[in-house]
Amino acid sequence: QIAVRACFLGFAFGCGLLVSAGRSAWRHFGWYMCSLSLFHYSEYLVTAINNPRSLSLDSFLLNHSFEYNLAALSSWVEFTLEKLFFPELKQITWLSTVGLLMVIFGDCLRKAAMLTAGSNFNHIVQNEKSDTHTLVTSGVYGWFRHPSYVGWFYWSIGTQVLLCNPICVVGYALASWRFFRERIEEEEITLIHFFGEEYLEYKRKVPSGLPFIKGVKLEL
């Protein structure tokens, strides 16, 4: 099953390259195909390098959640419909380029966070502290408390800017913001339980990285 998913993502990336290389009106969708397939493949690859003990089929994040799959389907439907009825909207190259840069920045930041955290990174919020679990505050964690979420946030919005999907840009921004606000609060309760005052001090010095999200309001 892992090989099937990897081959599928590689095939999608190759198709995206072919579409991107041409001068068809679907060129920007080719950029999107490459971005999406590379994101999911690299999630598995970096997990395999960093924390092989937690590696599983779910590490591709292809089956992240029903909501995630619904959001992807919604973006494809919007792009197709607007392509049919407002084709000029999908030919704004400078806007798609901005979206591509957001995608590249977001994915690079997320992967940098995963590599910096090493075996401390896990796709599932941990409720029990392992013997090797340490508080990472260096590298990109010195910029933001949750750099992997910041990267994913801007990556997801960037995919819709790339596609020039105005409805999904707003929808993705609101849905992602709400998801990460709840995820960060849940994770920070665990981190405070794990590291106590050490994490609270880190929390006071370093921002979450996401707009208007300060994290859990809890003091020891």
Side-chain angles (χ1 to χ4, degrees):
Q1 293 185 51
I2 291 172
V4 169
R5 282 164 173 73
C7 288
F8 169 75
L9 290 171
F11 177 75
F13 184 84
C15 290
L17 282 180
L18 290 175
V19 175
S20 301
R23 294 187 176 274
S24 72
W26 292 82
R27 183 183 181 189
H28 298 154
F29 194 82
W31 294 1
Y32 168 80
M33 290 176 64
C34 289
S35 303
L36 189 65
S37 55
L38 183 60
F39 172 82
H40 285 287
Y41 181 79
S42 59
E43 285 290 310
Y44 184 90
L45 179 62
V46 175
T47 302
I49 295 171
N50 258 4
N51 194 4
R53 294 179 63 181
S54 71
L55 194 64
S56 71
L57 197 62
D58 292 338
S59 299
F60 283 109
L61 295 186
L62 286 171
N63 55 340
H64 179 268
S65 65
F66 171 77
E67 292 78 9
Y68 181 81
N69 294 332
L70 181 62
L73 180 61
S74 298
S75 72
W76 303 340
V77 171
E78 180 183 353
F79 182 87
T80 303
L81 291 177
E82 290 174 352
K83 188 83 176 60
L84 291 173
F85 296 105
F86 310 102
E88 67 283 353
L89 180 63
K90 303 304 179 184
Q91 299 302 313
I92 309 175
T93 300
W94 70 266
L95 185 59
S96 291
T97 302
V98 170
L100 182 61
L101 292 175
M102 289 177 65
V103 163
I104 293 172
F105 165 77
D107 203 8
C108 286
L109 178 60
R110 179 168 172 81
K111 297 312 183 291
M114 293 172 70
L115 289 169
T116 302
S119 62
N120 292 288
F121 185 91
N122 198 304
H123 284 120
I124 301 173
V125 175
Q126 301 297 292
N127 294 317
E128 294 183 6
K129 184 180 179 183
S130 66
D131 294 337
T132 59
H133 204 165
T134 60
L135 180 62
V136 181
T137 61
S138 60
V140 290
Y141 286 87
W143 306 347
F144 314 118
R145 293 199 310 275
H146 303 278
S148 66
Y149 295 159
V150 176
W152 197 350
F153 178 77
Y154 287 108
W155 174 87
S156 66
I157 298 173
T159 60
Q160 300 313 299
V161 175
L162 190 161
L163 292 175
C164 299
N165 280 353
I167 297 175
C168 279
V169 165
V170 176
Y172 271 50
L174 293 176
S176 296
W177 185 87
R178 181 177 179 181
F179 171 79
F180 287 122
R181 183 194 63 182
E182 295 175 355
R183 182 70 175 256
I184 284 173
E185 288 181 356
E186 176 188 354
E187 186 170 303
E188 290 195 341
I189 290 173
T190 302
L191 289 169
I192 291 171
H193 176 69
F194 285 177
F195 302 107
E197 185 60 37
E198 183 184 4
Y199 185 79
L200 289 174
E201 181 63 22
Y202 171 64
K203 186 177 184 299
R204 283 190 285 266
K205 292 180 179 179
V206 180
S208 71
L210 289 168
F212 309 111
I213 296 180
K214 295 183 178 180
V216 66
K217 297 178 181 178
L218 180 66
E219 298 292 339
L220 290 178

